[in-house]
């Protein structure tokens, strides 16, 4: 009977990838915990924050930045609109997309949400000195860019 070959140990790069994914999952979980009392999911928060930061953004770009499909983004926007957190133009603009803006109520809610998320991010980096935080950010940007700038 043939022996089944065991996969080799993970490479240091694979271990780093797993660690980044575990960190992202923990960050997402903690963000969900602090946003829940405000009545927001992480995706809703990301949507509101992106609309605040990039007025006039297209629905396609909004979906990409929030890491959801266009269909999921449409459902998310409908829910935010029903809650009175966003307003969408009646008439579609270029590319048949309706512009989306935050309501004053959303701006107030977003301020509270940002403060809660900032506390989570602060806890995540509390043991790092400013130089280490800057270096970590530069390294993560380099990793992201290596994956997004290279073909498939």
């Amino acid at each position: 009977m043939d022996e089944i070959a065991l996969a080799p140990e993970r490479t240091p790069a694979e271990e780093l990838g797993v660690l980044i994914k575990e960190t992202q999952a923990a960050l997402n979980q903690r963000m969900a915990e602090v946003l829940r009392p405000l009545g927001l999911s992480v995706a809703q928060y990301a949507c509101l924050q992106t609309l605040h930061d990039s007025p006039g953004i297209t629905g396609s770009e909004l979906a990409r930045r929030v890491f959801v499909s266009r269909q999921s983004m449409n459902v998310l926007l409908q829910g935010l609109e029903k809650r009175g957190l966003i307003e969408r133009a009646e008439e579609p603009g270029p590319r048949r997309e309706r512009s989306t803006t935050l309501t004053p109520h959303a701006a107030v809610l977003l301020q509270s949400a940002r403060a809660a998320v900032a506390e989570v991010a602060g806890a995540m980096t509390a043991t790092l000195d400013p130089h280490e935080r800057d270096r970590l950010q530069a390294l993560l940007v380099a990793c992201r860019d290596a994956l997004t700038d290279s073909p498939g």
Side-chain angles (χ1 to χ4, degrees):
M1 184 166 174
D2 293 332
E3 281 189 40
I4 298 174
L6 294 177
E9 295 296 315
R10 287 186 184 146
T11 66
E14 289 173 312
E15 288 290 341
L16 184 57
V18 169
L19 181 59
I20 290 170
K21 182 61 181 167
E22 290 172 347
T23 304
Q24 185 274 330
L27 176 61
N28 194 61
Q29 180 180 352
R30 292 288 310 281
M31 287 174 59
E33 291 168 1
V34 300
L35 291 170
R36 193 173 299 117
L38 298 173
L40 292 174
S41 68
V42 174
Q44 290 170 326
Y45 166 75
C47 180
L48 294 175
Q49 183 63 55
T50 303
L51 286 169
H52 174 270
D53 292 344
S54 303
I57 190 171
T58 66
S60 298
E61 183 61 23
L62 182 59
R64 276 191 289 280
R65 290 192 195 177
V66 176
F67 303 105
V68 298
S69 68
R70 278 199 31 90
Q71 182 178 358
S72 294
M73 178 52 65
N74 193 41
V75 171
L76 195 148
L77 289 173
Q78 288 172 2
L80 292 173
E81 188 173 28
K82 284 179 185 172
R83 287 183 56 194
L85 297 174
I86 62 164
E87 294 174 343
R88 297 201 283 179
E90 292 295 323
E91 296 298 319
R95 293 173 285 205
R96 298 178 30 139
E97 295 202 19
R98 295 168 43 194
S99 66
T100 304
T101 57
L102 297 180
T103 64
H105 176 62
V108 171
L109 180 61
L110 183 56
Q111 188 174 15
S112 297
R114 287 180 70 179
V117 169
E119 284 187 33
V120 171
M124 180 178 68
T125 59
T127 62
L128 304 177
D129 67 41
H131 174 74
E132 289 171 324
R133 276 194 309 273
D134 292 346
R135 183 71 179 137
L136 177 59
Q137 182 172 352
L139 293 169
L140 289 171
V141 166
C143 290
R144 180 205 59 205
D145 291 353
L147 294 173
T148 58
D149 293 345
S150 64

